[in-house]
C-alpha cells in the first residue's frame, strides 16, 4: 500500500477532518455545476459542463449527470459521455 494505515486517535481525527473536506468539496462541486449550467443558459454551450464532468471523480459523475439533466437545458450522450445543448429543454436553476 502507498499510504499509512491510521489507528486510534489518528484515525478519529482524520475522519473528522475528512468530513470537513467532503462538505467543502460538495459545496465547490455545486458552485461549479451551477456556474456551468448558467454558462449553458447564457451561451448555449456545454463546454464547461463537459470539462467539469470529465474532471470529476467517477463516483460523483452520476450525481452531476442527474442534476444537470434535471435543472439545465442539456441532454447526455451515453456513447460519447458528453452533454449537448437541448434548445427545447427547460432551465430551472432557481430551484
Amino acid at each position: 500500500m502507498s499510504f499509512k494505515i491510521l489507528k486510534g486517535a489518528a484515525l478519529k481525527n482524520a475522519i473528522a477532518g475528512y468530513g470537513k473536506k467532503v462538505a467543502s468539496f460538495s459545496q465547490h462541486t455545486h458552485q461549479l455545476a451551477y456556474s456551468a449550467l448558467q454558462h449553458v443558459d447564457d451561451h448555449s454551450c456545454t463546454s464547461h459542463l463537459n470539462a467539469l464532468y470529465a474532471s470529476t471523480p467517477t463516483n460523483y459523475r452520476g450525481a452531476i449527470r442527474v442534476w444537470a439533466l434535471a435543472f439545465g437545458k442539456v441532454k447526455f450522450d451515453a456513447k460519447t459521455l458528453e452533454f449537448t445543448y437541448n434548445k427545447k429543454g427547460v432551465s430551472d436553476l432557481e430551484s
Side-chain angles (χ1 to χ4, degrees), residues 30-91:
H30 186 252
Q31 176 190 27
L32 293 173
Y34 188 102
S35 298
L37 281 185
Q38 185 64 58
H39 182 80
V40 171
D41 273 6
D42 294 345
H43 304 286
S44 305
C45 173
T46 60
S47 61
H48 293 303
L49 184 58
N50 284 319
L52 174 63
Y53 187 79
S55 66
T56 297
T58 304
N59 56 333
Y60 287 91
R61 288 181 184 175
I64 288 178
R65 185 174 56 250
V66 169
W67 188 84
L69 292 170
F71 296 102
K73 294 179 181 179
V74 296
K75 295 180 184 178
F76 187 77
D77 186 326
K79 290 182 182 178
T80 63
L81 300 178
E82 291 187 336
F83 292 95
T84 57
Y85 180 66
N86 179 7
K87 67 180 176 182
K88 295 181 181 180
V90 177
S91 177

